[in-house]
Amino acid sequence: MTQDSIFLNSIIYLTAAVVSVPIAKKAGLGSVLGYLLAGIIIGPHALHLVGNEGAEIMHFAEFGVVIMLFLIGLELHPSMLWQMKRQIFGLGGLQIGITASIITVLSAFFWLNLTQAVTTGLILAISSTAIVLQTLSEKGLLKTQAGQHSFSVLLMQDISVIPILSIIALLAGEAASSGDLIVTENVVAHEGWQKFLIIIAIVAFIIIAGRFFAHYLFRFIAETKMREIFTATALLMIISITLAMNYVGLSPALGTFIAGVVLANSEYRHELENNLEPFKGLLLGLFFISVGANIDFILLKNNLLTIVFILSLLIITKLIVLYILGRAFKLNYSQNMLFTFSLAQSGEFAFVLISFATQNGIYDSFTSGVLLIVVALSMLITPLLFIINEKWIQPKLAKIDAKPPEDIIDNETNPVIIAGFGRFGMVLGRFLVANGIKATIIDNNPHNIDYLRKFGYKVYYGDITNANTLKSAGAEEAKILVITMNDRNQIDSLVNVAKRNHPHLKLIVRGIDIAHALELKNKGVDAVKQETFGSAVSLGIEALKNLDFNSYQAQRAANTFKHLGQQLMDKLQQRYSPDDPHFVMETKKFSEHLENILLMQQKHPIQDMDCAWDPESLIEEAKEHHLKQNKNEN
Amino acid sequence: MNRILILFAHPLQQKSRINAQMIKSIEGLENVTINNLYNNYPDFFIDVNKEQDLLTQHDLIIWHHPFYWYSAPSILKEWFDLVLEHGFAFGKNGGELKGKTCMNVITTGARKETYTYNGFNRYPLNAFMIPFEQSAHLCQMNYLPPYAVHGSHLLDDNEVNSIARQYKADIIKLRDYDIPCSNFKKFEYSNDAISQLMP
């Protein structure tokens, strides 16, 4: 491809995405359907903006699935994964086994020979990780019971792609290979046990490196404060794992998933998520577009009835199997319907497996063409199935299920988020912890984090001014966001992001100076304190005490001073108008020029103002009274 | 031998004449502990355990303060509220202060004549002492009549000095001799009781 054609293609794909996805989302269809439709529109059968290179792009875009599995791994702690073992192996295994068997029988009954039938059963049993997880997380359903069950099944399917490849190779009766990114047959020409050892070694390497060394690497990179290098490191890591997995013939998605799980406890988790999220999103989008673009509408038109029949048979079979299994695994009706309708399609692995089987002579070009269309259409109608479930089925089930489905609540949903955990934030954090209040802490200085983690604080490294980080820190569930960062711009942008995305959050902010505090107050933050004011006055108390002030006298002087400061703030606040350049200049001048503050104080010296308990006037009066009495007596 | 605890409460020591002098005169006396409440707790956050320990380590408790609004400055009320806890000073498991002796040392701006039923303040000083007296009673302590300095507004420096000297002498007596509590109660003021009963 020449440079120009790369740019031209980029424009076509990006325009398609930018135009169709927002429209699809507005129409309530979800982004996946938007991408698929965009693909169909730009594909060879509609506008013909892209031609046959669509298939190549699809293989490249499958890398998005690899990144997605890594990100999902990041969300799963190893202990959570262990708790899910029954769902992964039991539910997932049964789903693949039963669905594959039924489809095999049906295929053999209608038209295929036994080899073809078994192959077809195995291929079509697998669902689409990309569509299902993307849709579930978009709808915020990933953490529901149905979401977790769906995820377990998809994970098991992903694992079983490797044995399925072997089975197909075996059925074809000859060794074969494919140069695909997602799955490759063993390219290491070793004996079985040697290969097994190499696999164990590589997986062990990923786990050990992730558990013990990644931490140092990420900190080293993060300290450079170069975001793009952090992103580059994350991508480098994932691509390396992908290649290593390809080398030993394991699924790269599985490899990066393991890496993600290993890094789930890392303090750099949020940062990794934020850096990789856009890549995942774009690549998945590209993948969906290419699926849409690759649907062969001529073949579809010529065999419409056959294809619709096969498609219906596939979807109905899957729905029935999933429904029964969901009930057997004790999902309630509403959750079970979500689970059932989520997984009723065939997935992206089918494209790979079908071409692999065709290369091995199992399918003729007609059969493979028909199957490819069936798979693509099943993906295309998945968003529609979600809509049917939401609009028609769930409302009716609401009455049957006595109580609503319980969400699996993330255990890091604390009522308080502290943004910025330097010396200032640390005192505040200790204060809250001492009062039994749990806080999620985000800081963008890796040094602080190491130090604090040693003392058992749960601190994350990340740029919280990023809307996604704020969200993943639990902003939806939190009540209060305490901002103790020391960079004025960062404070401002976090206040803006929080106000825009999470209006329910109470904002407690440390302002830099008077002008900043005023500005924040007018943005509607709930409380603001100047960062140095309190401690400066406290130190002033000590100074006074060493100048022969009594402790209590010094304390009152400080209280008075603070009170006056607050009064001044309130006065300025009333006059505040951000549009009046005069006022803005005044306050700025005020905060910048000490002179003004000093002038103000000269007018109101605190010593003279505090008349509390002063008996002078009383003594004066008593003396007058006494004189008068003496006069009278005389 | 009585160990004496002076709980001194004056919010404006820098302008005080009489009280500052009185306290200064007894500073450094053996077995006399001066606990300057406003200095030790400028933020009113009273260390209850420390204060209770001090109480148990002394035999005669003296609340020394100017007479504000017919009572004590506010920190002393805070001290009462926090330190004389149920279960420590009174109640079924209280009684830690049982048998101790206590007394108010008071300075008033107005002269003694104003503290009579016909006077400007309409009651004798002892009548205003009822909350202290009853509090002491609840804690099973012996409550002595108040030790009072009246007319502080009009005292000159010589008078202030002699009052301070007298205070020191009286404190030493209270420290060194047994206090005949029941006989004290026959007097209106402890000033007179000390001079007559403890020569």
Side-chain angles (χ1 to χ4, degrees), chain A residues 545 549-553 555-556 559 607 610-616 618-619 622-623 625-626 629, chain B residues 10-15 17 36 38-44 68 73-75 109 111 152-154:
Chain A
K545 272 165 41 179
F549 275 55
N550 297 315
S551 305
Y552 187 61
Q553 193 186 0
Q555 176 78 40
R556 267 194 74 81
N559 290 351
Q607 272 316 104
D610 191 5
C611 302
W613 304 292
D614 198 332
E616 255 170 56
L618 201 63
I619 292 173
K623 277 180 181 163
H625 186 69
H626 189 65
Q629 261 190 344
Chain B
H10 196 310
L12 201 68
Q13 284 171 75
Q14 65 272 21
K15 294 207 172 176
R17 292 161 66 232
N36 188 328
Y38 275 102
N39 261 8
N40 291 339
Y41 306 112
D43 54 0
F44 273 53
Y68 282 1
S74 55
I75 202 169
R111 285 163 302 134
S152 67
H153 291 339
L154 300 168

Side-chain angles (χ1 to χ4, degrees), chain A residues 82-368:
Chain A
W82 181 245
Q83 281 171 11
M84 287 165 63
K85 60 187 185 297
R86 191 168 152 267
Q87 290 151 36
I88 295 172
F89 293 105
L91 182 59
L94 284 172
Q95 186 274 334
I96 298 170
I98 296 172
T99 314
S101 310
I102 295 176
I103 294 175
T104 301
V105 171
L106 288 172
S107 313
F109 178 76
F110 283 110
W111 66 94
L112 296 175
N113 66 39
L114 191 62
T115 309
Q116 288 174 326
V118 173
T119 309
T120 311
L122 288 169
I123 290 174
L124 295 184
I126 293 177
S127 314
S128 170
T129 309
I131 288 185
V132 177
L133 291 189
Q134 175 75 13
T135 311
L136 286 177
S137 73
E138 202 173 292
K139 293 179 188 292
L141 295 170
L142 210 47
K143 294 207 164 147
T144 62
Q145 226 185 340
Q148 297 282 313
H149 278 66
S150 305
F151 173 75
S152 304
V153 171
L154 290 166
L155 192 63
M156 184 62 202
Q157 292 175 345
D158 196 24
I159 295 170
S160 53
V161 167
I162 314 300
I164 290 175
L165 267 173
S166 311
I167 293 169
I168 294 174
L170 210 69
L171 288 171
E174 56 179 298
S177 70
S178 117
D180 187 78
L181 254 181
I182 293 294
V183 255
T184 37
E185 181 50 356
N186 173 23
V187 289
V188 191
H190 290 296
E191 294 295 319
W193 65 272
Q194 280 175 317
K195 184 181 153 193
F196 184 70
L197 278 184
I198 292 171
I199 290 172
I200 295 286
I202 287 195
V203 171
F205 175 78
I206 291 175
I207 292 173
I208 291 167
R211 182 78 183 77
F212 299 103
F213 301 113
H215 171 74
Y216 295 102
L217 174 68
F218 285 131
R219 192 182 62 186
F220 176 71
I221 300 295
E223 273 172 357
T224 64
K225 301 239 174 209
M226 310 262 290
R227 262 196 90 160
E228 66 275 20
I229 296 299
F230 197 95
T231 311
T233 313
L235 280 176
L236 179 65
M237 179 182 72
I238 292 185
I239 295 173
S240 307
I241 293 171
T242 304
L243 286 182
M245 286 289 138
N246 275 333
Y247 182 71
V248 296
L250 276 183
S251 154
L254 189 64
T256 49
F257 174 74
I258 292 170
V261 172
V262 172
L263 290 172
N265 282 325
S266 159
E267 64 273 36
Y268 297 102
R269 185 181 112 192
H270 291 303
E271 193 70 1
L272 283 169
E273 279 175 4
N274 290 328
N275 280 305
L276 292 173
E277 195 72 44
F279 289 98
K280 178 208 86 172
L282 279 179
L283 285 171
L284 277 186
L286 191 58
F287 173 73
F288 297 135
I289 290 177
S290 47
V291 168
N294 274 308
I295 296 175
D296 186 346
F297 281 91
I298 296 168
L299 192 65
L300 173 62
K301 202 177 122 200
N302 294 340
N303 302 279
L304 191 61
L305 278 180
T306 320
I307 287 172
V308 169
F309 177 69
I310 299 173
L311 182 64
S312 318
L313 210 57
L314 170 69
I315 303 263
I316 289 166
T317 307
K318 285 202 150 197
L319 284 174
I320 293 171
V321 172
L322 287 165
Y323 181 81
I324 293 169
L325 285 176
R327 287 307 294 173
F329 277 75
K330 305 215 162 48
L331 283 173
N332 69 26
Y333 286 103
S334 135
Q335 290 286 297
N336 193 24
M337 276 304 170
L338 176 60
F339 170 74
T340 303
F341 277 79
S342 297
L343 296 172
Q345 75 297 97
S346 279
E348 54 277 4
F349 286 119
F351 296 123
V352 180
L353 294 170
I354 290 168
S355 60
F356 179 69
T358 315
Q359 282 161 30
N360 283 289
I362 293 179
Y363 293 133
D364 53 79
S365 65
F366 174 76
T367 313
S368 75

